[in-house]
Amino acid sequence: MTQKEKDSIYRQYSKKVFYYFLGKGVNETDAEDLSAVVFVKFYEKAADFDPSKASPSTLIYRISQNTLIDFFRTRKQLDEIDEETTYTDTSFDSVLNEETLTELGRALMSLDDRSRALVVLVYYESKTLKEAAEILKMSYSNAKIVMKKALTNLKDFLE
């Protein structure tokens, strides 16, 4: 990826990433810092990025989500984040294209039945994690662990 392409991507997505962090309750200063971190990570992964599999915004969004989670984890505020912030986000729905959805379908099929059911209930049927845990007859704390593992496995599969 050339410097010109990197600059173009930065101009196109930097404000969206910044406002994504503000929308998640991060103060303005931290949102600026986190936005910078996102693009540093994006540029590091740009060499491995395959535009035929997904658009740059998909990778930027994934990096933004992970950066936000890391930010709250390091600040020990993860417990203070409401479930909607942690597991539901629709701000980048429009970037999902058919190829990305196909890859996501393959990734979901790589999960065990319980993990896949939990992801489907939370993301596709808009259940809270607590409701999904009750439906699957598992404790809420176990559901959090299973969800974290499932999301990690999905992330690894998609990368």
Side-chain angles (χ1 to χ4, degrees):
M1 184 174 283
T2 67
Q3 186 60 40
K4 192 174 185 178
E5 291 171 320
K6 290 178 183 179
D7 290 344
S8 173
I9 289 171
Y10 179 80
R11 280 191 303 277
Q12 186 175 0
Y13 296 106
S14 61
K15 285 185 181 179
K16 292 177 183 178
V17 171
F18 175 74
Y19 287 115
Y20 167 77
F21 290 127
L22 287 180
K24 296 299 180 182
V26 175
N27 69 44
E28 203 168 309
T29 304
D30 287 334
E32 288 175 6
D33 294 342
L34 292 173
S35 296
V37 169
V38 166
F39 284 96
V40 167
K41 289 179 180 179
F42 175 76
Y43 296 145
E44 288 171 355
K45 295 181 183 215
D48 300 328
F49 179 70
D50 183 1
S52 67
K53 288 187 177 180
S55 70
S57 60
T58 304
L59 179 58
I60 290 170
Y61 174 59
R62 192 176 312 143
I63 293 170
S64 297
Q65 280 185 315
N66 293 336
T67 301
L68 180 67
I69 290 168
D70 290 344
F71 171 76
F72 282 119
R73 187 178 293 135
T74 59
R75 296 255 185 330
K76 298 190 192 266
Q77 294 178 354
L78 193 55
D79 292 335
E80 295 174 17
I81 304 173
D82 67 35
E83 199 171 294
E84 290 295 315
T85 302
T86 306
Y87 294 107
T88 305
D89 183 23
T90 59
S91 60
F92 279 81
D93 283 350
S94 62
V95 303
L96 293 176
N97 56 32
E98 192 171 312
E99 293 149 3
T100 306
L101 293 174
T102 302
E103 276 297 305
L104 185 57
R106 283 191 208 125
L108 279 171
M109 294 311 292
S110 74
L111 297 176
D112 62 271
D113 291 340
R114 183 175 66 163
S115 298
R116 184 172 46 248
L118 190 60
V119 170
V120 167
L121 285 169
V122 171
Y123 285 101
Y124 293 100
E125 296 185 15
S126 300
K127 303 286 185 194
T128 65
L129 190 58
K130 196 172 275 189
E131 291 170 335
E134 289 172 10
I135 291 169
L136 296 173
K137 296 182 180 3
M138 56 194 310
S139 71
Y140 178 65
S141 58
N142 187 31
K144 288 196 295 189
I145 293 168
V146 170
M147 179 63 85
K148 184 176 189 299
K149 265 187 186 176
L151 294 177
T152 300
N153 290 340
L154 287 173
K155 177 183 170 227
D156 292 344
F157 186 89
L158 291 170
E159 289 180 344

